Amino acid sequence: MTTLFISDLHLDAERPQITELFGRFVRGEARQADALYILGDLFEAWVGDDDPSDTGAYVASELKALGDSGVPVFFIRGNRDFLLGADYAARAGMRLLPDPSVIVLYGQPVLIGHGDLLCTDDVAYQQFRAQTRHPAWQAQFLAQPLAARLAFAQQARAASKAHQAGLKNDGRMETITDVAPDTVAETFARYGIDTLIHGHTHRPAVHTLEVGGRSRTRIVLGDWYEQGSVLRVDRDGMQLQTLD
C-alpha cells in the first residue's frame, strides 16, 4: 500500500480541467492508498466555510466519498486556504492537522507542513502571515459579509502579485520566495527528524543535506497549475511524480 501527498492545487473555477484531474485522482489512485495528505493551498482562495462555490462543493463531495471508502484524508492549511475551518473539514471528511506536524510513516517519523514557515527571508510575507493567523484577526474577518471577504481576497492576490513583481525587479525572487537554508537546518534539528515533506514553493525536488552530522531528506511537492504532482510513499521508498 501507498501513502499519497499533494499540495498547491490552487483549485478554482478558472481552471476546471485541473479540478477534474483532482477528481479523477481521488476516484482512482487515491482509493487504493493507505492515506491521503493534502499539505495546503487546496484552493486558490478560501474566505470562509460559507463560501458557496461549486468548486468547493465538488471537492468536498469527492473527498468525503474517499474517506467513506476507508481512506483517511488529512489536511494542513496553506497560505491561500488558512481560513478553511472545522465545518468544511467535516463536510469533506478531512482531519485538520497543525502546521507543522510529525507523523509516523511506515515506522519512521516524518515532519510535514505547508512550507511557508520555512521562507523566513521574505520578511514582509512572514509579518502578514503572523497577522492573519491571529485568532482575533480571523474572527473579525469572518464576521464580515461574504462579498466583503471575497473582495479582500482579490485585493490580497493583487498585492501578492505586486510583491512578487517587485522581488523579480530587484533580482531577489528566486532566493526570497524559496526556503531559507538556515531555517530548514534549524527545523530538522528542532524536531530531530530525518525527513521533511512540504509544498508552497512550487519547486518540486528531493533534496539531500547534512544537518548535525546526519543525512536528511527534504521533499518539495509540486503545484497543480498545469499538471498534477504527487508524492507516493511506501515501505520501499518515495517517488515524486507528475500527473497528466
Side-chain angles (χ1 to χ4, degrees):
M1 297 288 283
T2 303
T3 299
L4 304 173
F5 296 83
I6 58 176
S7 73
D8 300 284
L9 290 85
H10 295 270
L11 301 178
D12 67 3
E14 295 182 5
R15 293 181 303 116
Q17 73 279 9
I18 297 300
T19 302
E20 178 54 31
L21 174 62
F22 169 73
R24 293 197 302 271
F25 169 74
V26 169
R27 294 189 301 270
E29 178 181 358
R31 289 293 178 99
Q32 308 304 317
D34 285 328
L36 172 65
Y37 287 84
I38 305 172
L39 304 188
D41 285 4
L42 175 60
F43 298 103
E44 179 69 12
W46 192 260
V47 297
D49 289 356
D50 57 342
D51 188 320
S53 71
D54 291 340
T55 301
Y58 173 80
V59 170
S61 176
E62 293 290 346
L63 289 176
K64 184 65 165 58
L66 177 63
D68 289 346
S69 75
V71 180
V73 180
F74 301 92
F75 183 79
I76 289 180
R77 300 174 179 92
N79 57 293
R80 298 297 185 96
D81 47 23
F82 63 89
L83 289 170
L84 192 149
D87 287 349
Y88 185 80
R91 285 169 52 198
M94 302 189 300
R95 177 182 171 187
L96 297 175
L97 298 178
D99 185 8
S101 289
V102 176
I103 63 172
V104 177
L105 199 57
Y106 305 110
Q108 299 297 320
V110 173
L111 184 66
I112 61 174
H114 179 56
D116 55 338
L117 283 169
L118 302 171
C119 301
T120 52
D121 288 339
D122 193 345
V123 176
Y125 169 72
Q126 293 299 333
Q127 291 174 340
F128 174 78
R129 187 187 193 283
Q131 176 191 24
T132 56
R133 298 312 189 273
H134 195 282
W137 185 96
Q138 294 190 5
Q140 183 179 28
F141 180 80
L142 291 172
Q144 299 180 42
L146 178 60
R149 285 178 273 141
L150 290 171
F152 175 86
Q154 289 183 334
Q155 293 173 358
R157 290 168 65 179
S160 176
K161 290 180 179 179
H163 176 57
Q164 293 184 17
L167 293 175
K168 286 181 180 179
N169 291 337
D170 294 342
R172 297 183 296 153
M173 182 68 175
E174 290 302 313
T175 55
I176 294 296
T177 60
D178 202 356
V179 299
D182 288 347
T183 303
V184 171
E186 291 167 3
T187 300
F188 272 116
R190 183 185 318 124
Y191 288 91
I193 44 83
D194 293 333
T195 304
L196 167 62
I197 303 171
H198 70 85
H200 180 65
T201 64
H202 301 187
R203 295 172 169 89
V206 178
H207 301 273
T208 301
L209 61 157
E210 185 171 305
V211 177
R214 287 162 51 180
S215 178
R216 320 280 183 135
T217 302
R218 179 171 68 92
I219 302 102
V220 187
L221 306 177
D223 64 75
W224 285 52
Y225 275 119
E226 302 295 335
Q227 59 189 8
S229 177
V230 59
L231 175 68
R232 302 179 176 98
V233 183
D234 59 24
R235 295 186 182 279
D236 296 324
M238 302 183 177
Q239 289 186 323
L240 180 62
Q241 296 179 323
T242 59
L243 298 172
D244 295 328

